[in-house]
Amino acid sequence: MEKEKPIGVFDSGIGGLTVVKRLMSVLPKESIVYFGDTARVPYGSKSNETVIEYSIQNTKFLLQKGVKAVVVACNTASSIALNELRKNFDVPIIGMIVPGAQMAIDETRNNKIGVIGTRATISNKAYSKAIKEINSEIEVFEKACPLFVPLAEEGWTHHKATYEIAEEYLKELREKSIDTLVLGCTHYPILADVIQDVIGKNVKLIDSGIASSEVVRSELHRIGLETNSAIPGNASFYVSDLPTTFKEVAELFLGKQINEVIKVDVSELPKH
Ligand code: DGL
């Protein structure tokens, strides 16, 4: 039965597990197949052509696992490859950008929104385009924060170095009187406490993982693909490389234990 198929989720690595965590709490009965492209991370510093090629391969891999929908749990891939994926595949494909943009628009009171993300997401102006398409009156201030990715992966969630780097990255945004800040990279929710302290308590942080999970829920409902299961769904995890620290870092991102992680060789991924 189509309804009982899992939801596929992919990311360039482990960041997408913050999205899986949200999906599990919004849709606890749904099963999930996760693919983290840990062998080819980061996507944030790669060309658009490469990110599109990898995203197509990852989607094909998930479809081979029998998923009913695909969540692109990577802001970089969402900002670059979403249209291409929707052209190539006919399952619902949900990205991070529009849900996060909409949530930020719903939250802002002074129409000044900040966005932080990888270099690729920021240089593609993914969020500012999405926000301005919905409401052209809103001012958007964007800042690439590439060092947040390794800091999150290092588990430095409250480290002094993280505070110092956050101070440096966020000082420009602090001067813009923003009242809402989009965490436009799936790694950043891990550093939310530091980001909140540095940007100020009066700024609302937007987690695109929460926003996109709500969109997945409404989309599955709209097309009649919600599971009828009465029991909690299961999750399987595939990665293209298994770094030694994977399990502990992945559990930090997911907020719970992972039993098994299966390694898939990049050369075995479906060809573009
Ligand atoms: N997961 C990516 C994102 O959300 C960050 C890591 C990368 O650069 O691949 O943009």
Side-chain angles (χ1 to χ4, degrees), residues 177-194:
S177 316
I178 55 166
D179 69 352
T180 308
L181 177 65
V182 180
L183 305 179
C185 171
T186 49
H187 281 68
Y188 297 180
I190 297 293
L191 306 179
D193 287 348
V194 174

Side-chain angles (χ1 to χ4, degrees), residues 86-101:
R86 287 185 173 148
K87 261 193 248 156
N88 279 272
F89 304 102
D90 57 10
V91 294
I93 300 191
I94 294 105
M96 297 289 115
I97 310 296
V98 173

Side-chain angles (χ1 to χ4, degrees), residues 65-106:
K65 298 285 168 208
V67 302
K68 62 184 172 188
V70 171
V71 180
V72 184
C74 172
N75 286 267
T76 306
S78 295
S79 63
I80 295 169
L82 207 65
N83 290 342
E84 207 58 39
L85 295 178
R86 287 185 173 148
K87 261 193 248 156
N88 279 272
F89 304 102
D90 57 10
V91 294
I93 300 191
I94 294 105
M96 297 289 115
I97 310 296
V98 173
Q102 184 64 60
M103 198 183 216
I105 292 168
D106 294 342

Side-chain angles (χ1 to χ4, degrees), residues 112-142:
K112 291 179 197 284
I113 297 176
V115 179
I116 52 177
T118 62
R119 280 212 175 88
T121 301
I122 299 304
S123 66
N124 281 292
K125 299 201 167 297
Y127 277 98
S128 60
K129 282 186 204 152
I131 290 169
K132 285 188 178 291
E133 231 164 75
I134 302 170
N135 182 344
S136 59
E137 314 257 283
I138 292 179
E139 281 183 89
V140 186
F141 304 96
E142 298 182 283

Side-chain angles (χ1 to χ4, degrees), residues 15 26 47 53 57 86 92 102 123 150 164 187 212 251 256 268:
V26 171
S47 69
E53 185 188 327
Q57 281 191 307
R86 287 185 173 148
Q102 184 64 60
S123 66
E164 277 169 19
H187 281 68
S212 64
E251 287 172 357
K256 63 160 108 173
E268 288 163 25

